[in-house]
Amino acid sequence: MRIVYIHQYYCNPQMAGGIRSYEQARRLVARGHTVDVITTDITPGARELGWRVTEEDGVTVHWFRVPYNNNMSYARRLRAFAEFMVLAGAKAARLRADLVFATSTPLTVAVPGVLAAKLRRVPFVFEVRDLWPEVPIEMGALRNPVARGLAGALANFAYRNAAEVVALSPGMAAGVTARRPGTPTTVIPNAADLDLFTVDQEQVRQFRATHDWLGDRPLIVYTGALGAVNGVEYLVHAAHRMRRLDPDIRVLIVGHGKEWESTKQLAAGYGLLGEVVHMWEKVPKSQLPVILGAASMSSSFVRPIRGLWDNSANKFFDALAASRPIAINYGGWQADLLRQTGAGLVLTPENTDVAAGQLVRHLRDEVWMRQAREAAHRLAVEQFSRDLLFERFEEVLNRSVGHRPVLSEQS
């Protein structure tokens, strides 16, 4: 099967970001499929002319430099989305395909996907990573009635034209079918990359020994975006209280985003920065396994908004892959999973002092920590391994192609 795979913010393991698309694409190639990824190059530097093409594990990746970062104005980000929408549409239309697959965000990637699929008379499959426009409306970020209407129409357009929709959580799937009942939808969450997160314990020992502030102390790690939805200051507030309860506990925040500086200033204001709380700029995915291997516990946070409970954050599954308990401050399907299996902690979202007490108590409970690590590992192996979830993903693509009409060779 020839697959055109559209993902505006595709990353490989040498880049900072989620590698879901990379892992799925390379596995498709290993199964004998041909995959062309269409994406953007957002690394800093001069604007280049035209497309740049690379090959990664048999996947052909087409890059076009379209600047983007979370510090841009809303209007500038919309311009980046629109620019890629046009570029990707033109590129996808020139590539041979038996199926076109597009993954959000942004939602605008559906447009080049649908148009290329219609031009080639092949199926279109759409992947929903965030539920738009429902989440930004609930957050208060999308207030203009006209913008809301356009975003809703775009979501309807994507779902209506998809042979099937892949949703990254049960809540996202429910949102898709609520908007457009009858849409064929399959839940395939983010995955645990077990091979990637299997690390040499000597590397972990060296990592801890290299950092004098860490040594053999308990370590809570946060890895990922520091954006408007994350509210990572929650961890800093909790660390302020933890210092009084247990001054040996350390916090490491590794990431980037619009609220990086404000989070850093909060830690500095508490007198935590460089002592209790350490902040590192984002690192390539390939460096995360040692960091998580050195962690006592990982973490994931969102602001207290119900729609954000349906997330499928990579950091949650990276923790499972590394056999590390994870602490979250929200409800929903991940909270249910942690309560049922004991693979982590569900912290109170309203009170960071209470959360600090929960963290200290569990970090110092050796029996609980051992059982939580074992539970995290079981979840990674039995429910969320990348290989296991890839089988479900390939089934969706094969099923979609199987439903299309037979075309002539000239098609």
Side-chain angles (χ1 to χ4, degrees):
M1 188 192 323
R2 296 182 300 267
I3 301 164
V4 169
Y5 196 130
I6 304 173
H7 182 185
Q8 185 159 352
Y9 301 114
Y10 169 89
C11 291
N12 61 42
Q14 306 313 311
M15 302 167 69
I19 56 172
R20 176 185 178 93
S21 292
Y22 163 82
E23 292 291 349
Q24 291 183 162
R26 76 178 184 88
R27 282 172 169 77
L28 287 169
V29 169
R31 290 286 177 90
H33 304 291
T34 300
V35 181
D36 284 274
V37 171
I38 300 174
T39 189
T40 55
D41 180 355
I42 61 172
T43 55
R47 190 76 181 264
E48 300 169 359
L49 295 177
W51 291 90
R52 176 173 64 89
V53 180
T54 62
E55 185 169 308
E56 302 175 354
D57 295 306
V59 179
T60 302
V61 185
H62 306 262
W63 309 82
F64 200 103
R65 186 177 289 278
V66 178
Y68 181 88
N69 63 67
N70 286 328
N71 293 320
M72 287 179 171
S73 67
Y74 184 63
R76 184 64 188 84
R77 280 181 282 169
L78 286 178
R79 177 181 166 187
F81 297 159
E83 185 176 357
F84 179 73
M85 181 176 68
V86 173
L87 290 165
K91 171 59 74 174
R94 295 196 297 269
L95 296 172
R96 296 183 66 194
D98 298 304
L99 178 141
V100 178
F101 178 86
T103 179
S104 68
T105 57
L107 189 57
T108 45
V109 298
V111 175
V114 170
L115 296 181
K118 287 186 176 295
L119 181 66
R120 290 292 179 184
R121 291 190 289 166
V122 299
F124 168 67
V125 176
F126 186 56
E127 182 173 78
V128 176
R129 292 174 177 243
D130 290 301
L131 203 57
W132 279 67
E134 289 80 1
V135 168
I137 288 174
E138 190 172 347
M139 290 182 64
L142 195 60
R143 299 177 182 176
N144 185 291
V146 175
R148 288 185 179 188
L150 289 173
L154 187 53
N156 290 337
F157 171 79
Y159 305 157
R160 182 176 68 249
N161 285 284
E164 192 156 340
V165 172
V166 172
L168 267 66
S169 76
M172 292 183 203
V176 171
T177 54
R179 176 171 287 278
R180 190 160 184 84
T183 302
T185 306
T186 298
V187 176
I188 306 177
N190 272 319
D193 292 301
L194 290 158
D195 291 341
L196 177 63
F197 282 88
T198 299
V199 296
D200 185 345
Q201 288 307 300
E202 178 59 23
Q203 289 181 281
V204 172
R205 189 198 66 76
Q206 290 178 2
F207 178 92
R208 279 184 161 268
T210 298
H211 301 290
D212 294 338
W213 53 267
L214 179 55
D216 61 358
R217 297 177 178 89
L219 175 65
I220 302 171
V221 166
Y222 175 88
T223 61
L226 282 79
V229 304
N230 307 107
V232 181
E233 73 273 8
Y234 177 98
L235 180 57
V236 177
H237 288 304
H240 177 55
R241 176 61 176 165
M242 280 192 291
R243 180 170 58 178
R244 300 175 188 175
L245 298 173
D246 190 332
D248 265 356
I249 292 175
R250 297 292 180 260
V251 171
L252 175 60
I253 297 171
V254 183
H256 65 288
K258 192 171 185 178
E259 298 197 353
W260 169 270
E261 194 58 37
S262 61
T263 304
K264 185 176 180 180
Q265 291 302 317
L266 178 65
Y270 276 140
L272 301 173
L273 192 64
E275 295 182 15
V276 173
V277 174
H278 296 259
M279 295 183 67
W280 295 355
E281 293 283 356
K282 60 184 179 181
V283 300
K285 185 81 172 190
S286 58
Q287 293 182 24
L288 286 183
V290 171
I291 294 173
L292 282 179
S296 307
M297 183 181 292
S298 187
S299 60
S300 179
F301 307 106
V302 297
R303 296 199 183 281
I305 296 170
R306 176 59 186 85
L308 298 177
W309 292 8
D310 296 325
N311 77 82
S312 187
N314 284 299
K315 61 181 73 69
F316 184 91
F317 302 94
D318 290 348
L320 300 183
S323 301
R324 290 297 176 268
I326 184 162
I328 67 174
N329 70 339
Y330 48 90
W333 72 288
Q334 292 170 52
D336 293 342
L337 198 62
L338 295 183
R339 291 189 181 107
Q340 291 162 9
T341 64
L345 280 177
V346 181
L347 304 173
T348 175
E350 300 88 3
N351 191 319
T352 54
D353 283 354
V354 173
Q358 291 177 273
L359 289 165
V360 169
R361 185 167 63 253
H362 287 84
L363 282 166
R364 290 302 188 181
D365 185 337
E366 293 183 8
V367 173
W368 184 89
M369 288 292 293
R370 175 178 54 78
Q371 292 174 342
R373 287 193 296 267
E374 292 170 354
H377 180 72
R378 284 194 299 272
L379 275 177
V381 172
E382 296 172 6
Q383 294 191 41
F384 298 112
S385 80
R386 180 74 68 182
D387 289 337
L388 183 68
L389 294 180
F390 171 75
E391 296 293 338
R392 198 184 306 172
F393 175 71
E394 189 183 26
E395 285 174 9
V396 169
L397 303 191
N398 286 333
R399 184 163 61 239
S400 298
V401 170
H403 288 168
R404 72 184 177 95
V406 177
L407 302 178
S408 68
E409 288 296 321
Q410 286 72 33
S411 299

